Amino acid sequence: MTTTAPRRRASISDVARLAKVSVGTVSNVLNRPDRVSPTTRERVLAAIDDLAFVPNGSARQLRAGTITTAGAIVLDVSNPFFTDVARGIEDRLEEADYTLMLASSDENPEREARYLRLFEEHGVQGVMVVPATPDVEHLETLRGRGLRVVLLDRPSPVDTLSSVAVDDRAGAAAAARHLVELGHERIAFLNGPHTIRQCADRSAGLHDALVELGLDPDRALVEITIPTLNADGGQGGTEQVLALADRPTATMCVNDLTALGALRTLRAAGVPVPSGMAVVGYDDVAFAGELATPLTSVRQPTHQLGHRAADLLLDPDDAVVQVTFQPELVVRESTTGVG
Amino acid sequence: MTTTAPRRRASISDVARLAKVSVGTVSNVLNRPDRVSPTTRERVLAAIDDLAFVPNGSARQLRAGTITTAGAIVLDVSNPFFTDVARGIEDRLEEADYTLMLASSDENPEREARYLRLFEEHGVQGVMVVPATPDVEHLETLRGRGLRVVLLDRPSPVDTLSSVAVDDRAGAAAAARHLVELGHERIAFLNGPHTIRQCADRSAGLHDALVELGLDPDRALVEITIPTLNADGGQGGTEQVLALADRPTATMCVNDLTALGALRTLRAAGVPVPSGMAVVGYDDVAFAGELATPLTSVRQPTHQLGHRAADLLLDPDDAVVQVTFQPELVVRESTTGVG
DNA sequence: CGTCGTCGATGAAACGGTTCATAGCATGAA
DNA sequence: TTCATGCTATGAACCGTTTCATCGACGACG
């Protein structure tokens, strides 16, 4: 095992030399073993073993052109929602013997662009991305250059791009309806910037539902924009809500991490949930039901979302398909109180 | 924008032809712009823009040999502990303009091997890995072939490999001491298989602490091996604990996800926490303090862990360094009760 | 006995970049 | 005027594979 470290990685021609065959034959052993006679094959394999030869992926890809890797860009790897989606992607890709390169854009369009470029340079088969911008022109361009592109967690605004999404308007509307039924007439919404489509959609869904229920959104809805869609954002946003003159009786959060921060802040401020402030989350992550006050949340089919996205990416017909799943409101004590 | 999709990606020679220069010049524009006169540079850049030229990473890498990408393999991307570590890695890598390929082995040595191979084939600079096996010979081999290797969340058993870890024995021991001080004399430990080093270490730490405190580990400790280190594992393990004849009064969990499953199961079974069963987690993930019963847990410096690992990977001297952080027990109500 | 087909192995031409020795060409000094 | 110098641009070699046309050997067959 502790042979002296070779200065240079063994190449296929080193193997060929050692096995006394041509490089073409070594390549055949690697890729079409049946085209090679058993004795030669044996000899080549022995040489490969001897030199600890590992084929150079770049060279292979350069020549062969194809690669069984896909890329995914999510907004934040440390958000369980996205990692559950990633899990769905991985599971589907593995069936096809593909591998996944995962990256997070941090909601930063430049980071997104950088990873897209990296992926393209490395010739991935395709890319699944939760865009950090409303605009997807750059993704259409990418597709124009031959990459598979699947929009993740966001319906495609154009009919040239596949997408796998959950109906965010419906999810937000369901939450709004629930709150209004409970008697809330003034609702805070801790939301991210509308440049992120999910945020814009959830805002619209909330708005529409309120109108439908006969409320004036301008009065009933206070939307607070938070800089980061995590617990810290939830904390800052909640502090703002608590400082409002005409304090809302319910807070809806753009995701469960944000809700976590909200609950923490409310507890620190001594505001009881839900009697002092009802709270609704979004995503229904694993811990939502186990919190001090179990969290009412909008459940999304995360694993399926990823699975289907990978499915589309691998589709041999390269069809453009836009899939929309329906979310489901899971009611718990953060809105209904004990019982 | 909707130009007809080119059948083939533009190459550097297409650019050269259009700009009426040689390929070498185009390459220079890309890599050493100062070596090229402004007017030529301008012309080349215009051509690049025109053709939407994206350099082929494989070709570049094949020739140049180097690449600014690193790989990381963790046990489970959907475990917040690992994603927090990944975040730390990403943040450090970004400073150096490196990119990260993240993958999860699912605690499966074969998957780990497959990703390692993929990474090596693609010539990553190095790899940070939470090994799924106690054995690291394959990683030494990898290092022998010139890849940087950093063991993540696990001290290196050999002095040829760098590692960044947290003292798992100390963490588990602190938890054990805490429980014994509270009067517990019989403790269940929901742990993963000892083939995972962290699991073995935490078991040993627990064991040693009990001995030190004058208890007989054979009586005081019931270790239950769970198949998956997540909430489902915690649920199954807790069901076993509850079925024990001489039921322990405290359960220690190998991580917070497991503890989440344990708490859920205890609640379903009507067992009060901590009076009926104290629970300790490990990792102190974001939601630990916000649970129905806030969870006592062993906090690890996740972000630092990742940051330092990336640091070692990037170290220009390629020194072999073994870093160990100290964990910290965070006491909450799941062991001490209200107050 | 010559011809043909098959099978295995060969060697060279790509793939798309980087790098480097070299050459062309002003410019300024001698 | 000559020559050294510096600046640009060139083109070919090379990186490590895959692929494909070709070739030799050998057995079957007419």
Side-chain angles (χ1 to χ4, degrees):
Chain A
M1 234 4 45
T2 0
T3 52
T4 64
R7 206 58 256 140
R8 196 178 53 81
R9 252 167 74 166
S11 84
I12 204 174
S13 60
D14 296 325
V15 174
R17 199 173 316 120
L18 183 61
K20 300 189 196 307
V21 296
S22 73
V23 293
T25 301
V26 178
S27 177
N28 279 335
V29 170
L30 258 27
N31 305 306
R32 311 188 199 64
D34 46 307
R35 289 231 192 318
V36 179
S37 79
T39 59
T40 315
R41 196 190 314 150
E42 205 78 2
R43 222 169 57 242
V44 171
L45 288 176
I48 287 177
D49 215 53
D50 235 43
L51 297 171
F53 166 70
V54 177
N56 181 322
S58 308
R60 177 209 300 274
Q61 188 183 335
L62 172 58
R63 176 60 232 225
T66 100
I67 190 187
T68 55
T69 299
I73 304 177
V74 300
L75 298 181
D76 178 8
V77 275
S78 57
N79 182 332
F81 170 73
F82 290 119
T83 51
D84 285 352
V85 173
R87 228 8 225 277
I89 294 176
E90 261 193 340
D91 289 349
R92 175 67 184 91
L93 286 183
E94 181 159 31
E95 289 171 22
D97 248 308
Y98 268 59
T99 20
L100 180 67
M101 283 174 68
L102 182 61
S104 66
S105 67
D106 235 344
E107 300 150 31
N108 176 347
E110 281 166 36
R111 264 182 82 123
E112 178 186 317
R114 188 173 135 193
Y115 276 111
L116 284 174
R117 191 181 163 91
L118 181 84
F119 288 159
E120 187 180 10
E121 285 188 2
H122 282 74
V124 298
Q125 185 85 185
V127 68
M128 288 156 282
V129 37
V130 185
T133 55
D135 184 41
V136 293
E137 214 176 283
H138 60 302
L139 296 172
E140 290 187 83
T141 310
L142 216 57
R143 166 149 175 103
R145 297 205 218 106
L147 257 78
R148 299 286 187 98
V149 176
V150 179
L151 260 43
L152 257 185
D153 192 33
R154 155 112 130 79
S156 171
V158 295
D159 57 8
T160 52
L161 254 28
S162 289
S163 64
V164 177
V166 182
D167 190 336
D168 280 314
R169 300 175 81 116
R177 236 173 279 123
H178 173 65
L179 287 174
V180 171
E181 273 166 17
L182 290 172
H184 296 279
E185 300 194 330
R186 200 162 149 72
I187 301 172
F189 182 28
L190 305 188
N191 198 13
H194 285 208
T195 48
I196 298 175
R197 183 54 178 259
Q198 291 86 324
C199 297
D201 276 2
R202 289 176 197 174
S203 180
L206 210 47
H207 190 99
D208 291 356
L210 292 179
V211 170
E212 207 171 273
L213 292 163
L215 293 173
D216 171 14
D218 290 341
R219 231 207 81 62
L221 187 60
V222 188
E223 182 163 337
I224 291 181
T225 301
I226 58 178
T228 57
L229 308 185
N230 55 22
D232 288 343
Q235 177 165 345
T238 303
E239 281 161 6
Q240 288 181 53
V241 171
L242 291 178
L244 287 175
D246 184 6
R247 186 196 285 182
T249 58
T251 299
M252 166 141 178
C253 301
V254 69
N255 67 27
D256 285 351
L257 249 35
T258 306
L260 189 67
L263 288 173
R264 184 188 298 158
T265 311
L266 290 170
R267 189 150 59 118
V271 177
V273 175
S275 57
M277 176 74 75
V279 176
V280 179
Y282 210 109
D283 291 347
D284 193 35
V285 300
F287 61 74
E290 303 300 317
L291 295 174
T293 319
L295 183 65
T296 294
S297 190
V298 178
R299 175 179 301 169
Q300 311 199 66
T302 47
H303 194 273
Q304 269 186 71
L305 205 64
H307 198 277
R308 195 80 178 82
D311 229 27
L312 289 180
L313 190 113
L314 296 170
D315 175 30
D317 298 333
D318 195 12
V320 174
V321 180
Q322 290 164 14
V323 180
T324 306
F325 290 102
Q326 286 304 315
E328 173 194 0
L329 183 71
V330 180
V331 175
R332 297 199 186 90
E333 295 162 30
S334 72
T335 52
T336 60
V338 274
Chain B
M1 234 0 45
T2 358
T3 52
T4 64
R7 206 59 256 140
R8 197 177 54 83
R9 253 166 73 165
S11 83
I12 202 175
S13 60
D14 296 325
V15 174
R17 199 172 315 122
L18 182 60
K20 300 189 196 309
V21 296
S22 72
V23 293
T25 302
V26 178
S27 177
N28 279 335
V29 170
L30 257 28
N31 305 306
R32 309 187 200 68
D34 46 306
R35 289 230 191 319
V36 178
S37 79
T39 59
T40 313
R41 195 190 313 148
E42 205 77 2
R43 222 168 57 242
V44 171
L45 288 175
I48 287 177
D49 216 53
D50 235 44
L51 297 171
F53 167 69
V54 177
N56 180 322
S58 307
R60 177 208 301 271
Q61 188 183 335
L62 172 59
R63 177 62 232 228
T66 99
I67 191 187
T68 56
T69 299
I73 304 178
V74 301
L75 298 182
D76 177 10
V77 274
S78 56
N79 182 333
F81 169 73
F82 290 118
T83 50
D84 285 353
V85 173
R87 227 10 224 278
I89 294 176
E90 260 193 340
D91 290 348
R92 174 66 186 88
L93 287 183
E94 180 158 33
E95 289 171 22
D97 248 306
Y98 268 58
T99 21
L100 179 66
M101 283 174 69
L102 182 61
S104 65
S105 67
D106 235 343
E107 300 151 31
N108 176 346
E110 281 166 36
R111 265 182 81 123
E112 178 186 316
R114 188 174 135 193
Y115 276 111
L116 283 174
R117 190 181 166 90
L118 180 85
F119 288 159
E120 187 179 10
E121 284 188 3
H122 281 74
V124 298
Q125 184 86 182
V127 68
M128 289 156 281
V129 36
V130 186
T133 54
D135 184 41
V136 294
E137 213 177 284
H138 59 301
L139 295 172
E140 290 188 83
T141 311
L142 215 58
R143 168 148 174 103
R145 297 205 218 105
L147 256 79
R148 299 287 187 98
V149 175
V150 179
L151 260 43
L152 256 186
D153 192 33
R154 153 111 131 79
S156 171
V158 294
D159 57 8
T160 52
L161 253 29
S162 288
S163 64
V164 178
V166 183
D167 189 337
D168 279 314
R169 299 176 81 116
R177 236 173 279 123
H178 172 65
L179 288 174
V180 172
E181 273 166 17
L182 290 172
H184 297 278
E185 300 194 329
R186 196 159 154 72
I187 301 171
F189 182 27
L190 304 188
N191 197 13
H194 285 207
T195 47
I196 298 175
R197 182 54 178 261
Q198 293 85 324
C199 296
D201 276 2
R202 288 175 198 174
S203 180
L206 211 47
H207 190 99
D208 291 356
L210 291 179
V211 169
E212 207 172 273
L213 292 163
L215 291 174
D216 171 15
D218 290 340
R219 230 207 83 61
L221 187 61
V222 188
E223 181 163 337
I224 291 181
T225 302
I226 57 178
T228 56
L229 308 184
N230 55 23
D232 288 342
Q235 177 165 344
T238 303
E239 281 161 6
Q240 288 181 53
V241 172
L242 291 178
L244 288 175
D246 186 6
R247 186 196 285 182
T249 58
T251 298
M252 165 141 179
C253 300
V254 68
N255 67 28
D256 286 351
L257 249 34
T258 305
L260 190 67
L263 288 173
R264 184 189 298 158
T265 310
L266 289 170
R267 189 151 59 116
V271 178
V273 176
S275 56
M277 177 75 74
V279 176
V280 179
Y282 210 109
D283 291 347
D284 193 34
V285 300
F287 60 76
E290 303 300 318
L291 295 175
T293 318
L295 184 66
T296 294
S297 190
V298 178
R299 177 179 298 168
Q300 311 200 66
T302 46
H303 194 272
Q304 268 186 72
L305 205 63
H307 198 277
R308 196 79 178 80
D311 229 29
L312 289 180
L313 190 113
L314 296 170
D315 175 30
D317 298 333
D318 195 12
V320 174
V321 180
Q322 289 163 14
V323 180
T324 306
F325 290 103
Q326 287 304 316
E328 173 194 359
L329 183 71
V330 179
V331 176
R332 297 199 185 90
E333 295 162 31
S334 72
T335 52
T336 60
V338 274

